[in-house]
Amino acid sequence: MIADEILDKEKVMGEDADPARKSIGARRNPESADAILDAAESLLAEAGYSGFSIEAVARRARAGKPTIYRWWPSKAALLLEVYQRQKRVDNPHTGNLEDDLVGFLESLFSHWRETSSGSVFRSLIAEAQSDEAASAALAEYATGRRAHTGQMIERAKARGEVAADVEPALVADLIASYAWTHLLTNRLAEDEATIRRAVRYVMRGIIARNR
Amino acid sequence: MIADEILDKEKVMGEDADPARKSIGARRNPESADAILDAAESLLAEAGYSGFSIEAVARRARAGKPTIYRWWPSKAALLLEVYQRQKRVDNPHTGNLEDDLVGFLESLFSHWRETSSGSVFRSLIAEAQSDEAASAALAEYATGRRAHTGQMIERAKARGEVAADVEPALVADLIASYAWTHLLTNRLAEDEATIRRAVRYVMRGIIARNR
DNA sequence: ATATAACGGAACGTTTCGTATCGATAAAGA
DNA sequence: TCTTTATCGATACGAAACGTTCCGTTATAT
């Protein structure tokens, strides 16, 4: 087919991850975009949300402000992509729900502590208070994340580890809330024992009695 | 005593709520201060954190910006006082812990929904991401609030309603986290049944078995 | 080789923060 | 009654950041 060559080139050059882009010729320079995202991420890691401004990002990335605004319509959009680019914490599956939940929270906390991810997420929450798009994106992400954790509980329920009348989504909500609040109040340094005790209260409430 | 008259006058005029004030002659005009706080609160109620700026507050309160900065050192400080001026939701005591917790969450949710309190609190959380003082104040408030809820659980424990090995502070943390997260993700409209189901999971985990 | 388009840099207008200066006003003391 | 003092609103200011527009350059695609 004739279009193949064009498609190939577009694939190589474009990395067009955003299907909402209108103009045909519009495509990012991957190097430039990466430098901008890297700069934004490192600024957030160093100074948190206070140090995050489009101009500071442009300075650090040696990019022009118009370049940033060409690809990201607002500060919130850039923040959002930095956030989405980060690696997800995946749910462990040890065969024991309590260990799964504790392991999940521990790796989430350490991920938030040891990378820029915590700062980015806190900034996104802050931005969501004054930006509608960020608020919607945050809500959507939170819903998806809860569903993911819910599946972890669903599997335990299938194993008979969890009582039949337990709603995994609600339990996942409790667990996720615990994590969020600790992030927002600078209490990520909890050790495993504390986390395990908190999880145990939830566990005792949902565990199958007839074992 | 000789000092009585002077003290009386200071009491009438000053309403010196801020002991950190340095200059002796410095005291707020209560009417002016109230107008400023009212303006800030109504702006937050109408447009949320987006509509909150010192200049907008000054315009609405028919006050000068320097007047605001004379009494509040920063945007965060004003936000904080608006927040602290709001009425607290007090913990019910029905003699049944589950009813207490559900009642507490319900009245907290409706208070956040139906007054400006929710907007103010969300704004405070946002501000805490870029202002150190707001962050410290938020952390302090959160600690105190958890302790308050913890006492509710402590009472139930004294009644024998809760297992002996339960740490009230940790359970209070779970409950408060649930509330915060729902505020931040625009999920305050939950009905009583949903809240009760969430609380029930916690309850089942902490309830005394030997009843 | 030429047209296209993204790029960095600079400048612009706007908004907001927080500060400084000014004259007016209202209350306290002599 | 007159003077002093402190607070008030108004206005202007510098600094910073947002988001936009223009320009000359560089790199890509045909």
Side-chain angles (χ1 to χ4, degrees):
Chain A
M1 298 183 185
I2 298 175
D4 270 345
E5 211 177 353
I6 298 172
L7 284 176
D8 268 339
K9 280 174 184 167
E10 276 206 343
K11 199 174 171 188
V12 170
M13 290 305 308
E15 301 223 359
D16 195 348
D18 187 354
R21 185 88 32 227
K22 274 160 268 174
S23 157
I24 293 179
R27 60 214 127 157
R28 285 184 198 170
N29 179 345
E31 295 171 18
S32 185
D34 273 345
I36 288 166
L37 290 167
D38 287 343
E41 186 174 334
S42 67
L43 278 169
L44 284 167
E46 289 164 21
Y49 190 52
S50 318
F52 182 71
S53 78
I54 295 290
E55 307 208 330
V57 171
R59 273 196 301 273
R60 175 163 300 197
R62 255 177 259 274
K65 268 201 300 176
T67 303
I68 297 180
Y69 278 104
R70 191 191 312 271
W71 303 120
W72 295 276
S74 70
K75 198 172 151 176
L78 177 57
L79 195 56
L80 193 61
E81 184 161 342
V82 172
Y83 169 65
Q84 284 172 335
R85 200 177 58 147
Q86 313 227 354
K87 278 181 189 145
R88 296 281 188 270
V89 173
D90 45 15
N91 298 337
H93 40 282
T94 62
N96 175 279
L97 181 57
E98 183 174 328
D99 289 339
D100 281 357
L101 290 177
V102 172
F104 164 64
L105 282 178
E106 276 214 308
S107 66
L108 180 60
F109 277 28
S110 67
H111 182 241
W112 275 346
R113 253 188 284 117
E114 289 156 22
T115 72
S116 62
S117 202
S119 284
V120 175
F121 197 53
R122 292 184 69 167
S123 304
L124 186 60
I125 290 173
E127 193 70 23
Q129 305 312 311
S130 49
D131 185 285
E132 196 48 54
S135 177
L138 179 65
E140 186 193 342
Y141 171 78
T143 302
R145 208 64 195 71
R146 275 197 305 277
H148 209 236
T149 308
Q151 287 168 7
M152 191 160 68
I153 298 160
E154 198 86 64
R155 285 197 302 270
K157 197 170 159 182
R159 293 196 302 267
E161 201 179 343
V162 166
D165 64 341
V166 164
E167 294 163 278
L170 253 176
V171 176
D173 198 3
L174 276 171
I175 299 290
S177 297
Y178 181 81
W180 279 44
T181 310
H182 279 243
L183 172 67
L184 288 171
T185 51
N186 298 306
R187 288 185 293 148
L188 288 185
E190 314 261 44
D191 60 333
E192 197 205 312
T194 306
I195 294 176
R196 187 170 287 275
R197 273 181 293 159
V199 167
R200 197 174 299 243
Y201 290 128
V202 177
M203 281 302 299
R204 298 206 300 195
I206 67 177
I207 202 163
R209 297 261 188 264
N210 52 351
R211 301 194 97 208
Chain B
M1 297 183 186
I2 299 177
D4 270 344
E5 210 176 354
I6 297 172
L7 285 175
D8 268 338
K9 279 175 186 168
E10 275 205 345
K11 200 174 170 187
V12 171
M13 290 304 308
E15 301 224 358
D16 196 349
D18 188 353
R21 186 84 37 223
K22 275 160 269 176
S23 159
I24 294 180
R27 60 214 130 158
R28 281 187 201 170
N29 179 347
E31 294 171 19
S32 185
D34 273 346
I36 289 165
L37 290 167
D38 287 344
E41 185 174 336
S42 67
L43 278 169
L44 285 167
E46 289 163 23
Y49 190 51
S50 318
F52 182 70
S53 78
I54 296 288
E55 309 207 329
V57 171
R59 273 196 300 273
R60 176 162 300 195
R62 254 178 261 273
K65 266 202 302 175
T67 304
I68 297 180
Y69 279 102
R70 184 195 295 278
W71 302 120
W72 295 276
S74 71
K75 198 172 149 174
L78 177 57
L79 194 55
L80 194 60
E81 184 161 340
V82 172
Y83 169 65
Q84 285 172 334
R85 201 178 57 148
Q86 311 226 355
K87 279 183 190 143
R88 298 281 189 269
V89 174
D90 45 16
N91 297 336
H93 39 286
T94 62
N96 175 281
L97 181 56
E98 182 174 329
D99 289 340
D100 281 357
L101 290 177
V102 172
F104 164 63
L105 282 178
E106 276 213 309
S107 65
L108 180 59
F109 277 28
S110 66
H111 182 241
W112 275 346
R113 254 188 283 116
E114 290 156 20
T115 72
S116 63
S117 202
S119 283
V120 175
F121 196 54
R122 294 184 67 167
S123 304
L124 185 60
I125 291 173
E127 194 70 24
Q129 304 312 311
S130 48
D131 185 285
E132 197 48 54
S135 178
L138 180 64
E140 186 194 341
Y141 171 78
T143 302
R145 208 63 196 73
R146 275 197 306 277
H148 210 234
T149 308
Q151 287 168 5
M152 192 159 68
I153 298 159
E154 198 86 64
R155 285 198 301 270
K157 198 169 161 184
R159 291 197 301 266
E161 202 178 345
V162 165
D165 64 341
V166 164
E167 293 162 278
L170 254 176
V171 176
D173 198 2
L174 275 171
I175 299 291
S177 297
Y178 182 82
W180 278 46
T181 310
H182 279 243
L183 172 67
L184 289 171
T185 51
N186 297 306
R187 289 186 292 149
L188 289 184
E190 315 261 46
D191 59 335
E192 196 205 310
T194 306
I195 293 176
R196 187 169 287 275
R197 273 181 294 160
V199 168
R200 197 173 299 244
Y201 290 127
V202 178
M203 281 302 299
R204 297 205 301 195
I206 67 176
I207 203 163
R209 298 260 187 269
N210 53 350
R211 300 194 100 208

